[in-house]
Amino acid sequence: MNIFKDIYTFINYLDGVDIIFLVAIITLLILLVTLLYFIKINRDDDNDISNQDNSNNDNNKKIEDILDKIEIKEEKEMNENSDEEGELLDLESLTKKLEEQKKQEENKDIAACTEYEKEQEEKAIISYDELLKKHNQYAINYEKEEVKDDLVIKKVNLNNLINTEEKEELKDVRVISYKKEEDFLSALKELNRLLN
């Protein structure tokens, strides 16, 4: 009980500014303790992460060592066939292997395509000439038409989107020949000269 009385008398002797100063000091001490706690927790987490990174680095080193051993074995085999004919045969076999790997990768890429991707690849327009060729290739065909209250309702046939009309061939049309264009330009210049 004496402790509480002593605290009470201590607080009674303090002014308003002293109380604010005391509360600020206590708050700063609490913040300092929490900051130190968070720093300790983060260091522990960093140590755990670095331990995991070290184990991953060890695994990567083991894999690199194995790959190096395989490369050394291949180099020894290549050195055994060091005469010119053997080197030519090795080059030919290497080129064949590379071509086969390239074909296999292309086949994997093609096989990995979905139906949607294949359809998009077929419909893709790459140049202006292709765009002109594919012009009017697709059309909206209707199955039936109904009229309700001055409103025409048409049912679209999604199964038949190919245009059945004949394709019009686009021709290179020249409106005016170069001679006529030059004559027209000279007439404009003459008119401009007369007006000025």
Side-chain angles (χ1 to χ4, degrees):
M1 287 301 260
N2 285 336
I3 295 174
F4 292 118
K5 284 183 184 180
D6 292 338
I7 292 174
Y8 180 72
T9 56
F10 177 71
I11 292 175
N12 283 337
Y13 287 124
L14 296 175
D15 293 339
V17 175
D18 293 335
I19 293 173
I20 292 172
F21 184 69
L22 182 65
V23 170
I25 289 175
I26 292 171
T27 306
L28 287 174
L29 286 173
I30 292 171
L31 289 175
L32 181 67
V33 169
T34 54
L35 180 66
L36 292 174
Y37 177 72
F38 285 128
I39 289 172
K40 183 181 182 296
I41 289 175
N42 285 336
R43 284 188 183 163
D44 292 342
D45 290 343
D46 290 340
N47 289 338
D48 292 342
I49 291 172
S50 65
N51 289 338
Q52 289 176 354
D53 288 341
N54 289 338
S55 65
N56 288 339
N57 288 338
D58 292 339
N59 289 339
N60 289 339
K61 287 180 183 177
K62 289 177 184 177
I63 291 172
E64 288 176 2
D65 290 339
I66 293 171
L67 291 175
D68 289 339
K69 289 178 183 177
I70 292 172
E71 289 176 2
I72 291 170
K73 286 181 182 179
E74 289 177 356
E75 287 177 6
K76 287 180 181 176
E77 291 175 3
M78 298 270 296
N79 289 337
E80 290 173 1
N81 299 327
S82 62
D83 60 339
E84 290 182 18
E85 292 178 11
E87 288 178 6
L88 291 176
L89 292 176
D90 288 340
L91 290 176
E92 289 177 3
S93 64
L94 285 175
T95 54
K96 288 179 183 178
K97 287 180 182 178
L98 289 174
E99 288 174 357
E100 289 174 4
Q101 287 178 351
K102 185 178 179 182
K103 287 179 183 178
Q104 289 175 354
E105 289 175 3
E106 289 175 357
N107 290 338
K108 287 179 184 177
D109 291 340
I110 292 171
C113 291
T114 62
E115 281 295 319
Y116 175 76
E117 290 171 343
K118 288 178 185 176
E119 180 181 340
Q120 292 301 316
E121 186 68 29
E122 291 171 1
K123 290 183 179 179
I125 297 172
I126 298 171
S127 66
Y128 182 71
D129 294 331
E130 289 182 27
L131 178 64
L132 291 177
K133 288 178 185 175
K134 291 192 175 191
H135 177 67
N136 282 340
Q137 185 177 4
Y138 300 103
I140 298 176
N141 297 319
Y142 301 104
E143 288 182 2
K144 64 179 183 176
E145 296 182 20
E146 295 178 13
V147 178
K148 292 185 180 178
D149 297 328
D150 295 331
L151 182 66
V152 178
I153 301 171
K154 297 179 180 180
K155 183 178 180 185
V156 177
N157 184 2
L158 295 176
N159 296 327
N160 187 12
L161 291 177
I162 304 298
N163 191 2
T164 55
E165 299 175 7
E166 292 182 17
K167 297 179 184 176
E168 295 180 12
E169 291 290 326
L170 296 176
K171 298 177 182 176
D172 187 23
V173 179
R174 294 191 59 111
V175 180
I176 302 175
S177 67
Y178 287 121
K179 172 99 173 90
K180 291 181 181 179
E181 287 179 13
E182 290 174 358
D183 292 339
F184 180 70
L185 182 62
S186 62
L188 284 176
K189 287 180 181 178
E190 184 67 27
L191 178 65
N192 189 16
R193 188 181 59 80
L194 291 173
L195 290 175
N196 291 332

PDB file of all heavy atoms in Angstrom, residues 78-92:
ATOM      1  N   MET A  78      35.827 -37.676 -78.060  1.00  0.00           N
ATOM      2  CA  MET A  78      36.079 -36.906 -79.285  1.00  0.00           C
ATOM      3  C   MET A  78      37.571 -36.902 -79.602  1.00  0.00           C
ATOM      4  O   MET A  78      37.965 -36.977 -80.769  1.00  0.00           O
ATOM      5  CB  MET A  78      35.583 -35.464 -79.110  1.00  0.00           C
ATOM      6  CG  MET A  78      34.100 -35.326 -78.876  1.00  0.00           C
ATOM      7  SD  MET A  78      33.127 -35.150 -80.343  1.00  0.00           S
ATOM      8  CE  MET A  78      33.680 -33.620 -80.996  1.00  0.00           C
ATOM      9  N   ASN A  79      38.414 -36.826 -78.573  1.00  0.00           N
ATOM     10  CA  ASN A  79      39.857 -36.805 -78.795  1.00  0.00           C
ATOM     11  C   ASN A  79      40.368 -38.138 -79.309  1.00  0.00           C
ATOM     12  O   ASN A  79      41.374 -38.192 -80.009  1.00  0.00           O
ATOM     13  CB  ASN A  79      40.592 -36.418 -77.510  1.00  0.00           C
ATOM     14  CG  ASN A  79      40.399 -34.971 -77.153  1.00  0.00           C
ATOM     15  OD1 ASN A  79      40.099 -34.151 -78.024  1.00  0.00           O
ATOM     16  ND2 ASN A  79      40.552 -34.638 -75.882  1.00  0.00           N
ATOM     17  N   GLU A  80      39.723 -39.234 -78.955  1.00  0.00           N
ATOM     18  CA  GLU A  80      40.121 -40.544 -79.444  1.00  0.00           C
ATOM     19  C   GLU A  80      39.962 -40.623 -80.955  1.00  0.00           C
ATOM     20  O   GLU A  80      40.714 -41.295 -81.653  1.00  0.00           O
ATOM     21  CB  GLU A  80      39.307 -41.640 -78.754  1.00  0.00           C
ATOM     22  CG  GLU A  80      39.659 -41.808 -77.284  1.00  0.00           C
ATOM     23  CD  GLU A  80      38.735 -42.784 -76.581  1.00  0.00           C
ATOM     24  OE1 GLU A  80      37.829 -43.333 -77.247  1.00  0.00           O
ATOM     25  OE2 GLU A  80      38.904 -42.995 -75.375  1.00  0.00           O
ATOM     26  N   ASN A  81      38.952 -39.914 -81.483  1.00  0.00           N
ATOM     27  CA  ASN A  81      38.718 -39.894 -82.931  1.00  0.00           C
ATOM     28  C   ASN A  81      39.318 -38.614 -83.512  1.00  0.00           C
ATOM     29  O   ASN A  81      38.662 -37.853 -84.207  1.00  0.00           O
ATOM     30  CB  ASN A  81      37.219 -39.947 -83.234  1.00  0.00           C
ATOM     31  CG  ASN A  81      36.581 -41.203 -82.714  1.00  0.00           C
ATOM     32  OD1 ASN A  81      37.229 -42.238 -82.704  1.00  0.00           O
ATOM     33  ND2 ASN A  81      35.342 -41.114 -82.287  1.00  0.00           N
ATOM     34  N   SER A  82      40.602 -38.391 -83.269  1.00  0.00           N
ATOM     35  CA  SER A  82      41.192 -37.106 -83.614  1.00  0.00           C
ATOM     36  C   SER A  82      41.630 -36.995 -85.075  1.00  0.00           C
ATOM     37  O   SER A  82      41.993 -35.925 -85.514  1.00  0.00           O
ATOM     38  CB  SER A  82      42.386 -36.822 -82.700  1.00  0.00           C
ATOM     39  OG  SER A  82      43.368 -37.800 -82.899  1.00  0.00           O
ATOM     40  N   ASP A  83      41.637 -38.067 -85.828  1.00  0.00           N
ATOM     41  CA  ASP A  83      42.052 -37.935 -87.211  1.00  0.00           C
ATOM     42  C   ASP A  83      40.992 -37.169 -88.007  1.00  0.00           C
ATOM     43  O   ASP A  83      39.854 -36.998 -87.581  1.00  0.00           O
ATOM     44  CB  ASP A  83      42.338 -39.311 -87.832  1.00  0.00           C
ATOM     45  CG  ASP A  83      41.124 -40.211 -87.812  1.00  0.00           C
ATOM     46  OD1 ASP A  83      40.231 -39.943 -87.000  1.00  0.00           O
ATOM     47  OD2 ASP A  83      41.065 -41.153 -88.621  1.00  0.00           O
ATOM     48  N   GLU A  84      41.348 -36.668 -89.172  1.00  0.00           N
ATOM     49  CA  GLU A  84      40.493 -35.768 -89.935  1.00  0.00           C
ATOM     50  C   GLU A  84      39.174 -36.428 -90.336  1.00  0.00           C
ATOM     51  O   GLU A  84      38.125 -35.819 -90.282  1.00  0.00           O
ATOM     52  CB  GLU A  84      41.231 -35.277 -91.177  1.00  0.00           C
ATOM     53  CG  GLU A  84      42.363 -34.332 -90.868  1.00  0.00           C
ATOM     54  CD  GLU A  84      43.036 -33.838 -92.116  1.00  0.00           C
ATOM     55  OE1 GLU A  84      42.427 -33.947 -93.205  1.00  0.00           O
ATOM     56  OE2 GLU A  84      44.148 -33.337 -92.024  1.00  0.00           O
ATOM     57  N   GLU A  85      39.235 -37.661 -90.768  1.00  0.00           N
ATOM     58  CA  GLU A  85      38.009 -38.347 -91.173  1.00  0.00           C
ATOM     59  C   GLU A  85      37.074 -38.492 -89.988  1.00  0.00           C
ATOM     60  O   GLU A  85      35.864 -38.315 -90.108  1.00  0.00           O
ATOM     61  CB  GLU A  85      38.342 -39.711 -91.779  1.00  0.00           C
ATOM     62  CG  GLU A  85      39.065 -39.628 -93.105  1.00  0.00           C
ATOM     63  CD  GLU A  85      39.406 -41.007 -93.641  1.00  0.00           C
ATOM     64  OE1 GLU A  85      38.918 -42.005 -93.099  1.00  0.00           O
ATOM     65  OE2 GLU A  85      40.164 -41.077 -94.610  1.00  0.00           O
ATOM     66  N   GLY A  86      37.637 -38.834 -88.855  1.00  0.00           N
ATOM     67  CA  GLY A  86      36.813 -38.962 -87.645  1.00  0.00           C
ATOM     68  C   GLY A  86      36.182 -37.640 -87.268  1.00  0.00           C
ATOM     69  O   GLY A  86      35.019 -37.584 -86.854  1.00  0.00           O
ATOM     70  N   GLU A  87      36.933 -36.550 -87.433  1.00  0.00           N
ATOM     71  CA  GLU A  87      36.383 -35.236 -87.123  1.00  0.00           C
ATOM     72  C   GLU A  87      35.254 -34.880 -88.082  1.00  0.00           C
ATOM     73  O   GLU A  87      34.240 -34.331 -87.684  1.00  0.00           O
ATOM     74  CB  GLU A  87      37.491 -34.181 -87.175  1.00  0.00           C
ATOM     75  CG  GLU A  87      38.464 -34.275 -86.021  1.00  0.00           C
ATOM     76  CD  GLU A  87      39.583 -33.265 -86.118  1.00  0.00           C
ATOM     77  OE1 GLU A  87      39.547 -32.406 -87.025  1.00  0.00           O
ATOM     78  OE2 GLU A  87      40.492 -33.341 -85.294  1.00  0.00           O
ATOM     79  N   LEU A  88      35.429 -35.194 -89.354  1.00  0.00           N
ATOM     80  CA  LEU A  88      34.374 -34.929 -90.321  1.00  0.00           C
ATOM     81  C   LEU A  88      33.122 -35.730 -89.999  1.00  0.00           C
ATOM     82  O   LEU A  88      31.997 -35.229 -90.083  1.00  0.00           O
ATOM     83  CB  LEU A  88      34.856 -35.217 -91.743  1.00  0.00           C
ATOM     84  CG  LEU A  88      35.917 -34.264 -92.301  1.00  0.00           C
ATOM     85  CD1 LEU A  88      36.360 -34.728 -93.678  1.00  0.00           C
ATOM     86  CD2 LEU A  88      35.366 -32.854 -92.375  1.00  0.00           C
ATOM     87  N   LEU A  89      33.328 -36.996 -89.644  1.00  0.00           N
ATOM     88  CA  LEU A  89      32.186 -37.829 -89.287  1.00  0.00           C
ATOM     89  C   LEU A  89      31.501 -37.281 -88.035  1.00  0.00           C
ATOM     90  O   LEU A  89      30.267 -37.271 -87.941  1.00  0.00           O
ATOM     91  CB  LEU A  89      32.630 -39.279 -89.075  1.00  0.00           C
ATOM     92  CG  LEU A  89      33.100 -40.043 -90.306  1.00  0.00           C
ATOM     93  CD1 LEU A  89      33.587 -41.434 -89.911  1.00  0.00           C
ATOM     94  CD2 LEU A  89      31.978 -40.150 -91.324  1.00  0.00           C
ATOM     95  N   ASP A  90      32.311 -36.835 -87.073  1.00  0.00           N
ATOM     96  CA  ASP A  90      31.729 -36.264 -85.863  1.00  0.00           C
ATOM     97  C   ASP A  90      30.938 -35.006 -86.172  1.00  0.00           C
ATOM     98  O   ASP A  90      29.859 -34.780 -85.630  1.00  0.00           O
ATOM     99  CB  ASP A  90      32.820 -35.952 -84.831  1.00  0.00           C
ATOM    100  CG  ASP A  90      33.406 -37.218 -84.210  1.00  0.00           C
ATOM    101  OD1 ASP A  90      32.725 -38.264 -84.290  1.00  0.00           O
ATOM    102  OD2 ASP A  90      34.515 -37.145 -83.667  1.00  0.00           O
ATOM    103  N   LEU A  91      31.467 -34.173 -87.067  1.00  0.00           N
ATOM    104  CA  LEU A  91      30.750 -32.951 -87.439  1.00  0.00           C
ATOM    105  C   LEU A  91      29.436 -33.289 -88.128  1.00  0.00           C
ATOM    106  O   LEU A  91      28.404 -32.662 -87.865  1.00  0.00           O
ATOM    107  CB  LEU A  91      31.621 -32.071 -88.341  1.00  0.00           C
ATOM    108  CG  LEU A  91      32.823 -31.401 -87.685  1.00  0.00           C
ATOM    109  CD1 LEU A  91      33.641 -30.639 -88.719  1.00  0.00           C
ATOM    110  CD2 LEU A  91      32.357 -30.454 -86.596  1.00  0.00           C
ATOM    111  N   GLU A  92      29.481 -34.273 -89.007  1.00  0.00           N
ATOM    112  CA  GLU A  92      28.257 -34.674 -89.689  1.00  0.00           C
ATOM    113  C   GLU A  92      27.235 -35.235 -88.700  1.00  0.00           C
ATOM    114  O   GLU A  92      26.051 -34.918 -88.763  1.00  0.00           O
ATOM    115  CB  GLU A  92      28.570 -35.711 -90.770  1.00  0.00           C
ATOM    116  CG  GLU A  92      29.303 -35.144 -91.954  1.00  0.00           C
ATOM    117  CD  GLU A  92      29.668 -36.208 -92.971  1.00  0.00           C
ATOM    118  OE1 GLU A  92      29.286 -37.390 -92.771  1.00  0.00           O
ATOM    119  OE2 GLU A  92      30.324 -35.864 -93.960  1.00  0.00           O
TER     120      GLU A  92
END
